[in-house]
Each structure stands twice: as structure tokens, then as C-alpha cells.
Amino acid sequence: MKKVTDCIVEFLLDKGISDVFGFPGAHICHLLDSVSKYEKIKSHVCYNEQGAALAACGYAQAMGNVGVAFATSGPGATNLVTGVANAYFDCIPVLFITGQTETYSAKRNLKIRQRGFQETDVVSVYKAITKATFYIDNPKQIRYYLEMAWDIASSGSPGPVVLDIPTDVQRAEVDEKELYGFSGKAKMTEDNQNDIFGKFICKKIQASKKPVILLGNGIKQSGMNRECLKFIENSGMPVLMSMPAFDIMDFDHPLNFGFVGKNGFSYSNKIIHDADFVISLGCRMSFRTAGLDRNIISDGAEYIRIDIDEDELSFPVKKSEYDIRADLKSLLPRLNAQAMPKTASHLRWMGFCNDCRSQFVDDEDVTSKMISKISKTIPGGLDITVDVGYHMVSAARNFKIKKHSIHMSGGHGAMGYALPAAIGCSIASKKDACCILGDGGLLMNLQELQFLNRERLPVKIILINNSSLGYIRMFQDSWFDGNYVNTTFESGYTLPGFSEIAKVFNIPYTRIETLDQAEKYSYQSGLEFVEIVI
């Protein structure tokens, strides 16, 4: 016989999970007790469940595996919501385990708000922001739900799954021989179908005169960066990206023509508008990428859209488009097996694209220049998390990618993402990680500095301090004639002294105030708080 929570931990170990994130609570103590019995898995205390959820997101993004976070019932479970939504909208595979009041104190179908202390209907709360949420009231179902949750979280378009487990179920003893598993598996297109798709796509490329490739975050989620780069270089086509995917290629790659959309480069948007053939790979074509009228691709251009999520394909960009539901893990090798000789038209088109890049030069401000200079000092290959705000756009436009992996809260746009996500990245990679964030974003999850103080992780905190909520201030300039409300010092938004904050949390501190200081900054591995004052 074995306790249910022991079964959970052994399942996680079998799946290669060595770290889980959360905050203790009465209704999750049995899981913590079980984790403590096994040497190869560690429970990391975050100082708010939101921080734990976002750390699990960062862990999943850096590891290429499912992240795991836990919380107790009631407020513990509801504090996870922002991180769960972040995982859902950015298609990050995370398993969230929430404790729940005992089955015998559950309100069930009673028309009352609450029966047990800290009881919350977790299934209803999470229904709109998870791939699935399950309430487990039978101990013998634990293996079935664990296997199904893992399959759902990691298959197709990945995302979060929540298992809500009452305390009496967690502590129950079960006979492992009596536990039944989950036999269903997600299905995708067959390999022979992908062969047909590959030949069709290559014929369309050869028939075009001005082709482009548009890459989305799905490339990163599929783990097919190398196969994608091989396809790019075989085809010789210019490459554009959505903003969350801007790190797929090094900044100086000759086929990298930047990211498109609302915040994209003017030359990037010019190139995609003038193309006569666009193939998008794993790009969900959000309004920020495709425009409010979904008109980023010209009416006369042919468009092939490839996505693993058939629901995304149900929201078309053009009235006439070729939609292919396929797994890039299978399709990209098929594309790379096709011969793609470059035509004279393609070479002329490349010349046009290079001319666009040299002629359409966008002005960049001090924030952008600071990020550009600092990014040159950061060693290649590290995980970089970027928070939400004006600095996110600046980082996307100016960070000098050299095999870096950039992670951001793209769909949910959650301020406070970068610090806990960097913690998750560093634990997953066992290397340095950097987070670029604004003053507002840091204050959202400031408490996780104590995590860094406790575990001395080699996380570089790069704070862009413009003493305001800069992105919202831009909207107030545009929409309200500069009526700054709660976004500047004068209008109710104030800040602590960050040098003192760093001192309190025992983190080495560096202050940068000029471009010359940024250029001379010397990156040293290890924990550091770098404040860039704009």
C-alpha cells in the first residue's frame, strides 16, 4: 500500500521532474511530506502562489518539459490564477496541483457559497483558462488523472492542466496494482499526409516570386528551432517573426528581417505587405501581429498557415488561405527533405528586402539604446525573461540575440512575470538567467527576491527604472492629452530606493545612469541587481 501523494511524486520523477514550486498550506501538506521522502525532487518555496505559478512557467519554457506548481485550497488556489492564465495563453505545459477541503466537507450541489473552510470551486474558477481541470474524489483514480493530465498538458498545443485533490484523497492509502491508467492519446496528422503537405508547400515556394517565412512562438514550443533554421537556409527565403518569436534567429543572421505587427519594424511590415507568398509556421496571428483588420498580408498574396491547434485555424487571416493542421516535429523534416533551388526572382526579392532594411530606419530612444548595449555583454545561450511594459517592446527591437532564449508573457501580458520566471529558468537550466523588467513589474512580485537571497541563484536582475509606468503613460499621452493618473511620481505612483531593496535582500547592486556606463558594464556570472536609471 502507498499513500496517494507518494504515487504523485513517483509519477513526477518518472517524467523527469526534479523541481516543483509552491507555498505551503494545510490542504497541500501531504504532497510536501511526500516530496521530502525522495532525494531527486525538491520543493521550492516561493513567497506568493503567483510567483510559484510563473516560476513553473519559466521552468517549463527552459526545460522543454512540463512544469509543476502546487498550492493549498482557497486563496492558495486563487493566487495561482495569473500564472495559470499565462500558461494557457502562451501554450506552456504546466501541471498545477491544488489541495482541497475533504470530500466529506464539500458543498457538492448544495446552494450555499461554502461548506468547508477555504473551500473554493476550483474547477469552475479555472475552466476558462486551462486545457482541463479535474476534481479527484476517488483515490483509485490518481494514476488515470495524472497520466491524462500529462498527456493533455504536453500534446497538441500545450497548456496548463489543474488537478484539484481533497486532503482525504491525498492521504489515502492505495494498492498500486489496483490503479488503472489512461489509454487515450492525442492524435495528429499521419507522416504520409505530412509528406504530401511538404511537397505542396515546396511547389508553392518555387512558383512564387516574393516569398517570406513568418515564424511564431509555436516553433519554440515544438522544440524544432534547428530543423526550422535548416528549412530557412535551404529555402533562402527572408524570415519575419511575431514579437514573442523574435529570438528564434540571431540578430545578425542575413535572412532575419525582424518582427512584424503593431510594435514591429517598419521595414518588416513593408516586406510582408509586398510579399506574394507567405508561409506562417506556428504563428497564431494575434491582432498585435496581424492587425485589427487582419490585413497584414496583401489581398493578392497566397498564404499557407500551419498550426497544431485547429481552433486557431478557425480564425482566418484571409478569406482564401491554405490551412494545414500539423505537428512541426513531423512536418519540418518533410520540408527539409525537399529540394528548393533558388530562382532569379527570389534573388531579386532578397535584394529588395535588404534595401528595405537599410532605407527604413526607425528611431530608437535611450531605453532602447541601453538595452542594446547591455545585451551585447550577456553571454549567448542563456535564458532571458522579459517583463511587460515599454521595456518589452524595446527589448524585442534591440536585444542582440546570440543563441539566447527569450521568454515573455506574450498573450496574458502579466506584469510581474519576469522575476519568478527567471528563477524557474535558472533552476531548470542550472545556469545563469537574466530578467529584464521595469520598476512596476518588479514590485508586482518583489517578494521573490527572498527566493534569490535564500538559494543564491545566478539570476541577473536588469531593472529599467524610468520612475513611471511608461507604457501606460504613452497611452495617456495619446488618449488623454498627457493626463497622467497614477503613472508618475506626481500623480500617485511612487517607488522605493532600489539600492536599499537590493541591500535588504543581500543582493550585489550595480547602478547605471549613462550610455557610456552601459557600454563599459562587465557581465560577471552570479546573482546581481543592475538598476538602469532612465
Side-chain angles (χ1 to χ4, degrees):
M1 302 294 285
K2 187 169 292 185
K3 191 164 74 166
V4 164
T5 49
D6 290 347
C7 295
I8 294 173
V9 175
E10 290 181 3
F11 173 84
L12 296 177
L13 285 167
D14 287 343
K15 294 297 184 180
I17 299 301
S18 57
D19 302 273
V20 296
F21 304 87
F23 190 84
H27 291 293
I28 203 67
C29 277
H30 283 283
L31 180 63
L32 296 178
D33 176 68
S34 292
V35 170
S36 71
K37 299 175 184 178
Y38 299 83
E39 292 183 359
K40 293 184 178 180
I41 189 168
K42 182 177 180 180
S43 170
H44 298 275
V45 180
C46 295
Y47 292 90
N48 183 284
E49 291 85 356
Q50 182 189 128
L54 293 171
C57 287
Y59 182 93
Q61 289 170 299
M63 179 68 77
N65 198 354
V66 177
V68 181
F70 62 85
T72 192
S73 61
T78 57
N79 279 348
L80 287 173
V81 166
T82 294
V84 174
N86 182 77
Y88 184 66
F89 293 120
D90 281 0
C91 306
I92 304 170
V94 183
L95 175 62
F96 293 96
I97 300 173
T98 56
Q100 185 57 274
T101 54
E102 292 83 352
T103 55
Y104 51 77
S105 65
K107 71 185 182 75
R108 303 287 183 175
N109 295 323
L110 292 174
K111 294 183 178 179
I112 57 177
R113 295 188 182 188
Q114 187 183 61
R115 187 179 177 201
F117 175 65
Q118 287 191 336
E119 180 185 16
T120 303
D121 184 356
V122 166
V123 173
S124 296
V125 168
Y126 285 123
K127 185 177 181 180
I129 54 170
T130 58
K131 290 188 73 177
T133 300
F134 301 107
Y135 175 78
I136 304 175
D137 59 1
N138 183 346
K140 292 183 179 180
Q141 295 177 322
I142 190 63
R143 179 183 167 194
Y144 173 84
Y145 278 112
L146 283 168
E147 291 180 357
M148 181 165 61
W150 198 272
D151 183 67
I152 292 172
S154 58
S155 64
S157 182
V161 177
V162 175
L163 296 182
D164 190 41
I165 310 177
T167 304
D168 55 327
V169 173
Q170 293 181 47
R171 66 174 178 253
E173 298 282 331
V174 293
D175 184 346
E176 289 185 283
K177 295 178 182 178
E178 296 180 0
L179 300 180
Y180 58 93
F182 172 70
S183 58
K185 294 292 178 183
K187 295 181 179 179
M188 281 303 304
T189 54
E190 301 294 333
D191 285 347
N192 61 346
Q193 195 172 355
N194 282 321
D195 284 333
I196 295 170
F197 289 151
K199 292 175 183 177
F200 170 74
I201 290 166
C202 289
K203 285 182 180 179
K204 287 291 183 182
I205 292 172
Q206 291 303 303
S208 67
K209 294 181 178 179
K210 298 184 291 183
V212 297
I213 300 171
L214 176 61
L215 304 179
N217 205 38
I219 298 291
K220 294 157 65 173
Q221 292 160 353
S222 69
M224 296 300 286
N225 293 45
R226 290 185 180 179
E227 285 287 338
C228 181
L229 189 59
K230 183 178 177 181
F231 169 60
I232 289 166
E233 293 178 343
N234 284 347
S235 70
M237 293 163 59
V239 178
L240 301 167
M241 290 154 281
S242 65
M243 192 170 87
F246 81 93
D247 60 322
I248 291 175
M249 299 175 71
D250 285 352
F251 82 100
D252 56 357
H253 193 290
L255 295 177
N256 181 351
F257 287 88
F259 71 94
V260 299
K262 176 183 176 182
N263 296 309
F265 297 97
S266 56
Y267 62 81
S268 306
N269 288 322
K270 169 69 174 170
I271 289 168
I272 197 168
H273 184 267
D274 283 18
D276 69 354
F277 174 78
V278 179
I279 175 173
S280 70
L281 303 174
C283 183
R284 71 184 185 90
M285 301 301 280
S286 70
F287 285 125
R288 289 198 166 197
T289 298
L292 290 175
D293 297 327
R294 315 272 290 168
N295 61 354
I296 191 169
I297 299 169
S298 66
D299 291 337
E302 284 198 293
Y303 177 43
I304 295 179
R305 188 177 180 197
I306 300 167
D307 203 292
I308 199 170
D309 189 342
E310 60 185 340
D311 293 328
E312 290 292 349
L313 295 174
S314 70
F315 184 26
V317 177
K318 289 168 60 69
K319 291 180 180 178
S320 58
E321 64 182 44
Y322 299 99
D323 291 336
I324 297 175
R325 181 175 183 249
D327 188 340
L328 292 171
K329 292 177 182 177
S330 176
L331 181 58
L332 276 171
R334 267 70 186 177
L335 286 173
N336 287 329
Q338 305 295 319
M340 285 181 282
K342 301 171 183 62
T343 67
S345 295
H346 291 178
L347 294 175
R348 287 194 294 271
W349 170 239
M350 274 299 300
F352 172 84
C353 293
N354 283 316
D355 288 343
C356 282
R357 182 160 49 189
S358 61
Q359 292 172 9
F360 291 85
V361 179
D362 299 328
D363 291 333
E364 303 295 355
D365 60 12
V366 174
T367 300
S368 301
K369 292 174 182 177
M370 284 284 197
I371 290 175
S372 176
K373 291 183 182 298
I374 287 291
S375 70
K376 293 176 182 178
T377 72
I378 299 174
L382 298 186
D383 288 288
I384 316 293
T385 61
V386 184
D387 217 275
V388 177
Y390 179 69
H391 61 279
M392 173 191 275
V393 178
S394 295
R397 294 174 65 93
N398 297 278
F399 196 98
K400 305 307 182 187
I401 297 295
K402 281 289 188 182
K403 305 296 185 296
H404 300 102
S405 294
I406 309 291
H407 313 293
M408 57 180 66
S409 179
H412 197 43
M415 287 179 66
Y417 159 85
L419 176 57
I423 287 171
C425 286
S426 181
I427 288 174
S429 67
K430 296 179 173 55
K431 297 191 299 186
D432 284 22
C434 299
C435 60
I436 300 174
L437 68 177
D439 41 85
L442 176 57
L443 291 175
M444 285 282 181
N445 276 311
L446 185 74
Q447 74 284 344
E448 302 310 331
L449 291 177
Q450 180 57 26
F451 191 116
L452 297 179
N453 182 20
R454 182 186 75 231
E455 301 201 15
R456 309 310 293 177
L457 292 177
V459 171
K460 196 76 63 179
I461 302 160
I462 301 174
L463 173 66
I464 309 297
N465 183 3
N466 60 5
S467 301
S468 68
L469 297 175
Y471 204 51
I472 306 306
R473 190 178 62 182
M474 285 172 54
F475 290 128
Q476 291 173 333
D477 276 327
S478 300
W479 298 346
F480 305 105
D481 297 324
N483 181 24
Y484 304 134
V485 180
N486 297 152
T487 55
T488 63
F489 271 33
E490 296 77 16
S491 65
Y493 174 78
T494 61
L495 297 172
F498 287 110
S499 62
E500 295 302 310
I501 292 290
K503 184 178 180 180
V504 165
F505 288 102
N506 191 28
I507 299 174
Y509 172 84
T510 300
R511 183 181 178 93
I512 293 175
E513 296 179 320
T514 67
L515 291 172
D516 185 57
Q517 288 175 338
E519 193 156 15
K520 293 178 180 177
Y521 171 73
S522 176
Y523 182 99
Q524 301 293 326
S525 178
L527 177 60
E528 184 183 14
F529 190 123
V530 181
E531 181 179 8
I532 299 177
V533 180
I534 304 298

